Amino acid sequence: MARIFDDSVENDKSKVKKDGLIYQQRDDTDYKKEYEKLDSKGKFQFFKDYYLPTIVVIAVIALVGGYFLYGALTKPQTVLYVAICDQNLDDKQVDKLEKAVGTYLGLDNKHEIVTINTEFNSKNGTLSEQLQSYIYAGTCDIVIAPKEGFTGYATAGYFFEPDSSDTVAAFKDWPKDKRIYCPIIDGENIRGEKDIDETKYNFGIDVADCRKYKALEGKSKSAVLGVSNSSRKQEEAAAFIKFLTDDSLKDGDVNPDFALQSK
Protein backbone atom coordinates (compact mmCIF):
# COMPACT_ATOMS: atom_id res chain seq x y z
CA MET A 1 0.00 0.00 0.00
CA ALA A 2 1.46 3.37 -1.05
CA ARG A 3 2.12 5.90 1.68
CA ILE A 4 0.93 9.45 1.11
CA PHE A 5 3.20 12.15 2.45
CA ASP A 6 1.37 15.17 3.69
CA ASP A 7 3.10 18.12 5.38
CA SER A 8 -0.11 18.82 7.22
CA VAL A 9 0.30 15.57 9.09
CA GLU A 10 3.08 15.85 11.69
CA ASN A 11 4.54 12.73 13.20
CA ASP A 12 6.10 13.60 16.55
CA LYS A 13 8.43 10.62 16.35
CA SER A 14 9.78 11.21 12.86
CA LYS A 15 9.75 14.99 12.31
CA VAL A 16 11.42 17.89 14.04
CA LYS A 17 8.89 20.31 15.36
CA LYS A 18 8.90 23.60 13.50
CA ASP A 19 9.21 25.56 16.69
CA GLY A 20 12.44 23.65 17.59
CA LEU A 21 15.77 25.39 18.19
CA ILE A 22 17.05 24.44 14.72
CA TYR A 23 14.54 26.79 13.13
CA GLN A 24 15.22 29.72 15.46
CA GLN A 25 17.56 32.55 14.43
CA ARG A 26 20.30 33.36 16.89
CA ASP A 27 22.36 36.52 17.33
CA ASP A 28 25.18 37.79 19.52
CA THR A 29 22.67 38.73 22.23
CA ASP A 30 21.78 35.06 22.64
CA TYR A 31 25.42 34.12 23.19
CA LYS A 32 25.90 36.97 25.65
CA LYS A 33 22.92 35.85 27.68
CA GLU A 34 24.17 32.26 27.69
CA TYR A 35 27.68 33.42 28.66
CA GLU A 36 26.33 35.46 31.59
CA LYS A 37 24.54 32.37 32.96
CA LEU A 38 27.77 30.32 33.01
CA ASP A 39 29.93 29.80 36.08
CA SER A 40 33.68 30.49 35.98
CA LYS A 41 34.47 26.99 34.72
CA GLY A 42 31.86 27.25 32.00
CA LYS A 43 33.11 30.68 30.95
CA PHE A 44 36.67 29.32 30.63
CA GLN A 45 35.39 26.45 28.49
CA PHE A 46 33.39 28.90 26.37
CA PHE A 47 36.57 30.97 25.86
CA LYS A 48 38.56 27.87 24.83
CA ASP A 49 35.87 26.73 22.40
CA TYR A 50 35.10 30.04 20.69
CA TYR A 51 38.07 32.38 21.02
CA LEU A 52 41.25 30.45 21.81
CA PRO A 53 41.71 28.81 18.34
CA THR A 54 41.44 32.21 16.63
CA ILE A 55 43.85 33.83 19.07
CA VAL A 56 46.37 31.01 18.56
CA VAL A 57 46.20 31.37 14.75
CA ILE A 58 46.66 35.15 14.96
CA ALA A 59 49.58 34.74 17.37
CA VAL A 60 51.32 32.21 15.09
CA ILE A 61 50.90 34.49 12.06
CA ALA A 62 52.26 37.44 14.04
CA LEU A 63 55.27 35.45 15.28
CA VAL A 64 56.14 34.08 11.83
CA GLY A 65 55.69 37.49 10.21
CA GLY A 66 57.77 39.13 12.93
CA TYR A 67 60.53 36.55 12.52
CA PHE A 68 60.86 37.15 8.78
CA LEU A 69 60.60 40.92 9.19
CA TYR A 70 63.32 40.89 11.85
CA GLY A 71 65.53 38.75 9.62
CA ALA A 72 65.01 41.09 6.67
CA LEU A 73 65.82 44.17 8.74
CA THR A 74 68.88 42.72 10.49
CA LYS A 75 70.36 40.64 7.66
CA PRO A 76 73.74 42.07 6.58
CA GLN A 77 73.76 43.79 3.21
CA THR A 78 76.30 42.46 0.72
CA VAL A 79 78.10 45.44 -0.82
CA LEU A 80 80.43 43.37 -3.03
CA TYR A 81 79.90 39.76 -4.17
CA VAL A 82 82.87 37.69 -5.32
CA ALA A 83 82.41 34.18 -6.75
CA ILE A 84 85.42 31.85 -6.67
CA CYS A 85 85.06 28.71 -8.79
CA ASP A 86 86.83 25.36 -8.83
CA GLN A 87 89.03 26.18 -5.86
CA ASN A 88 89.48 24.53 -2.48
CA LEU A 89 90.47 27.44 -0.24
CA ASP A 90 91.06 27.88 3.47
CA ASP A 91 87.79 29.19 4.93
CA LYS A 92 89.52 31.15 7.70
CA GLN A 93 91.73 32.93 5.18
CA VAL A 94 88.70 33.69 3.00
CA ASP A 95 86.88 35.20 6.01
CA LYS A 96 89.99 37.26 6.74
CA LEU A 97 90.09 38.60 3.18
CA GLU A 98 86.36 39.43 3.30
CA LYS A 99 86.87 41.57 6.39
CA ALA A 100 90.07 43.18 5.06
CA VAL A 101 88.35 44.22 1.83
CA GLY A 102 85.31 45.37 3.79
CA THR A 103 87.51 47.60 5.94
CA TYR A 104 89.24 48.92 2.82
CA LEU A 105 85.80 49.84 1.43
CA GLY A 106 84.87 51.64 4.63
CA LEU A 107 82.29 49.03 5.70
CA ASP A 108 81.54 48.07 9.30
CA ASN A 109 81.75 44.34 8.39
CA LYS A 110 78.56 43.75 10.36
CA HIS A 111 75.65 45.47 8.65
CA GLU A 112 77.50 45.91 5.35
CA ILE A 113 79.80 43.12 4.21
CA VAL A 114 81.88 41.68 1.38
CA THR A 115 80.78 38.16 0.42
CA ILE A 116 83.30 35.75 -1.12
CA ASN A 117 81.50 32.55 -2.14
CA THR A 118 83.85 29.63 -2.86
CA GLU A 119 81.19 26.97 -3.49
CA PHE A 120 80.83 27.39 -7.27
CA ASN A 121 82.05 24.77 -9.74
CA SER A 122 82.16 25.36 -13.50
CA LYS A 123 81.88 21.62 -14.17
CA ASN A 124 78.79 21.18 -11.98
CA GLY A 125 75.76 22.03 -14.13
CA THR A 126 73.60 23.24 -11.27
CA LEU A 127 76.29 25.38 -9.65
CA SER A 128 77.44 26.76 -12.99
CA GLU A 129 73.88 27.74 -13.94
CA GLN A 130 73.42 29.34 -10.52
CA LEU A 131 76.49 31.49 -11.06
CA GLN A 132 75.31 32.47 -14.53
CA SER A 133 71.95 33.51 -13.10
CA TYR A 134 73.76 35.63 -10.49
CA ILE A 135 75.73 37.33 -13.26
CA TYR A 136 72.59 37.92 -15.34
CA ALA A 137 70.84 39.46 -12.32
CA GLY A 138 73.77 41.73 -11.50
CA THR A 139 74.23 40.00 -8.13
CA CYS A 140 77.75 38.77 -8.82
CA ASP A 141 80.41 41.45 -9.27
CA ILE A 142 83.65 39.47 -9.64
CA VAL A 143 84.48 35.93 -10.75
CA ILE A 144 87.77 34.17 -10.05
CA ALA A 145 88.39 30.74 -11.58
CA PRO A 146 91.16 28.62 -13.10
CA LYS A 147 91.87 29.54 -16.72
CA GLU A 148 89.80 26.73 -18.26
CA GLY A 149 86.68 27.43 -16.22
CA PHE A 150 87.06 31.20 -16.54
CA THR A 151 87.39 31.02 -20.33
CA GLY A 152 84.10 29.14 -20.51
CA TYR A 153 82.30 32.08 -18.87
CA ALA A 154 84.35 34.72 -20.71
CA THR A 155 83.51 33.42 -24.21
CA ALA A 156 79.84 33.92 -23.32
CA GLY A 157 80.59 37.63 -22.96
CA TYR A 158 80.00 37.92 -19.22
CA PHE A 159 82.91 40.23 -18.37
CA PHE A 160 84.20 43.75 -18.92
CA GLU A 161 87.37 44.27 -20.91
CA PRO A 162 89.66 47.34 -20.80
CA ASP A 163 88.46 48.88 -24.07
CA SER A 164 84.86 48.96 -22.86
CA SER A 165 85.20 49.93 -19.20
CA ASP A 166 87.59 51.95 -17.06
CA THR A 167 86.71 49.59 -14.20
CA VAL A 168 89.27 47.12 -15.52
CA ALA A 169 91.70 49.66 -16.97
CA ALA A 170 94.35 48.18 -14.66
CA PHE A 171 94.29 45.02 -16.80
CA LYS A 172 96.37 46.91 -19.37
CA ASP A 173 99.16 47.36 -16.82
CA TRP A 174 99.20 43.66 -15.94
CA PRO A 175 102.03 41.51 -17.37
CA LYS A 176 100.95 40.47 -20.83
CA ASP A 177 101.56 36.78 -20.19
CA LYS A 178 99.17 37.02 -17.22
CA ARG A 179 96.30 38.54 -19.21
CA ILE A 180 93.59 36.20 -20.49
CA TYR A 181 92.32 36.82 -24.02
CA CYS A 182 89.45 35.02 -25.74
CA PRO A 183 86.75 35.66 -28.37
CA ILE A 184 83.02 35.92 -27.75
CA ILE A 185 80.96 32.98 -28.99
CA ASP A 186 77.17 33.29 -28.90
CA GLY A 187 74.29 31.00 -29.82
CA GLU A 188 74.31 32.03 -33.48
CA ASN A 189 77.98 31.07 -33.74
CA ILE A 190 77.32 27.70 -32.12
CA ARG A 191 74.38 27.01 -34.46
CA GLY A 192 76.49 27.99 -37.48
CA GLU A 193 74.20 30.91 -38.33
CA LYS A 194 77.13 33.32 -38.46
CA ASP A 195 80.90 33.12 -38.48
CA ILE A 196 82.86 33.45 -35.24
CA ASP A 197 84.55 36.81 -34.75
CA GLU A 198 88.17 35.87 -34.19
CA THR A 199 88.86 39.07 -32.22
CA LYS A 200 90.16 38.23 -28.75
CA TYR A 201 89.39 40.42 -25.77
CA ASN A 202 91.24 40.83 -22.49
CA PHE A 203 88.50 39.66 -20.12
CA GLY A 204 90.67 38.68 -17.16
CA ILE A 205 93.99 38.66 -15.37
CA ASP A 206 95.71 35.80 -13.55
CA VAL A 207 96.07 36.68 -9.87
CA ALA A 208 97.33 33.29 -8.67
CA ASP A 209 100.76 34.72 -7.84
CA CYS A 210 99.41 37.68 -5.86
CA ARG A 211 100.47 37.47 -2.21
CA LYS A 212 96.98 37.99 -0.80
CA TYR A 213 95.48 35.38 -3.12
CA LYS A 214 98.22 32.87 -2.37
CA ALA A 215 97.36 33.34 1.33
CA LEU A 216 93.99 31.67 0.58
CA GLU A 217 95.97 28.47 0.05
CA GLY A 218 94.43 27.48 -3.26
CA LYS A 219 96.04 24.60 -5.13
CA SER A 220 95.23 25.65 -8.69
CA LYS A 221 98.10 26.94 -10.83
CA SER A 222 95.91 29.69 -12.27
CA ALA A 223 93.26 31.97 -10.80
CA VAL A 224 91.82 34.34 -13.38
CA LEU A 225 89.83 37.36 -12.21
CA GLY A 226 87.14 39.13 -14.24
CA VAL A 227 84.53 41.78 -13.48
CA SER A 228 80.91 40.98 -14.40
CA ASN A 229 79.57 43.36 -17.04
CA SER A 230 76.26 43.42 -15.15
CA SER A 231 77.86 44.49 -11.87
CA ARG A 232 76.16 47.38 -10.08
CA LYS A 233 79.25 47.83 -7.88
CA GLN A 234 81.92 48.66 -10.41
CA GLU A 235 83.83 51.10 -8.20
CA GLU A 236 83.89 48.57 -5.36
CA ALA A 237 85.02 45.87 -7.81
CA ALA A 238 87.89 48.08 -8.98
CA ALA A 239 88.86 48.69 -5.34
CA PHE A 240 88.84 44.93 -4.71
CA ILE A 241 91.27 44.41 -7.60
CA LYS A 242 93.48 47.20 -6.25
CA PHE A 243 93.53 45.72 -2.74
CA LEU A 244 94.14 42.15 -3.96
CA THR A 245 96.97 43.02 -6.33
CA ASP A 246 98.76 45.84 -4.50
CA ASP A 247 101.11 44.42 -1.88
CA SER A 248 101.61 47.88 -0.38
CA LEU A 249 98.02 47.74 0.94
CA LYS A 250 97.76 45.93 4.28
CA ASP A 251 94.91 44.49 6.34
CA GLY A 252 93.30 47.38 8.19
CA ASP A 253 93.98 49.97 5.49
CA VAL A 254 91.01 52.09 4.48
CA ASN A 255 90.44 53.60 1.05
CA PRO A 256 89.87 57.31 1.80
CA ASP A 257 87.30 57.67 -1.00
CA PHE A 258 85.10 54.90 0.39
CA ALA A 259 85.64 56.00 3.96
CA LEU A 260 84.09 59.38 3.09
CA GLN A 261 81.14 57.69 1.41
CA SER A 262 80.43 55.54 4.45
CA LYS A 263 80.13 58.52 6.81
Side-chain angles (χ1 to χ4, degrees), residues 26-183:
R26 298 172 64 84
D27 56 29
D28 291 340
T29 304
D30 297 325
Y31 287 108
K32 290 177 181 177
K33 289 179 179 179
E34 292 179 11
Y35 180 78
E36 290 172 356
K37 295 176 183 178
L38 298 174
D39 57 16
S40 58
K41 184 177 180 180
K43 289 179 179 179
F44 179 68
Q45 187 63 44
F46 184 91
F47 171 79
K48 290 200 319 183
D49 292 342
Y50 290 95
Y51 296 108
L52 188 58
T54 302
I55 292 174
V56 169
V57 170
I58 293 173
V60 170
I61 293 174
L63 287 172
V64 172
Y67 173 80
F68 283 108
L69 179 61
Y70 177 80
L73 294 176
T74 59
K75 184 178 180 181
Q77 177 187 356
T78 293
V79 173
L80 183 72
Y81 189 99
V82 181
I84 299 184
C85 303
D86 309 332
Q87 297 276 19
N88 184 19
L89 305 178
D90 184 280
D91 291 339
K92 291 182 179 179
Q93 294 299 324
V94 172
D95 291 343
K96 183 179 178 182
L97 180 61
E98 285 179 337
K99 291 179 173 60
V101 175
T103 300
Y104 185 65
L105 295 179
L107 310 181
D108 62 9
N109 287 324
K110 183 176 180 182
H111 300 97
E112 293 183 317
I113 61 173
V114 172
T115 296
I116 300 178
N117 190 334
T118 63
E119 297 179 355
F120 293 106
N121 188 319
S122 63
K123 294 182 175 60
N124 181 304
T126 301
L127 293 176
S128 181
E129 289 177 4
Q130 184 182 33
L131 176 56
Q132 291 175 60
S133 69
Y134 281 13
I135 294 174
Y136 277 130
T139 301
C140 179
D141 303 296
I142 291 173
V143 175
I144 301 176
K147 184 177 179 179
E148 181 182 356
F150 182 89
T151 302
Y153 295 120
T155 54
Y158 288 152
F159 303 117
F160 281 126
E161 55 92 23
D163 291 335
S164 68
S165 174
D166 290 338
T167 301
V168 292
F171 285 14
K172 293 181 177 179
D173 299 326
W174 208 245
K176 194 165 185 179
D177 63 335
K178 295 293 183 180
R179 303 180 206 169
I180 304 303
Y181 291 84
C182 62

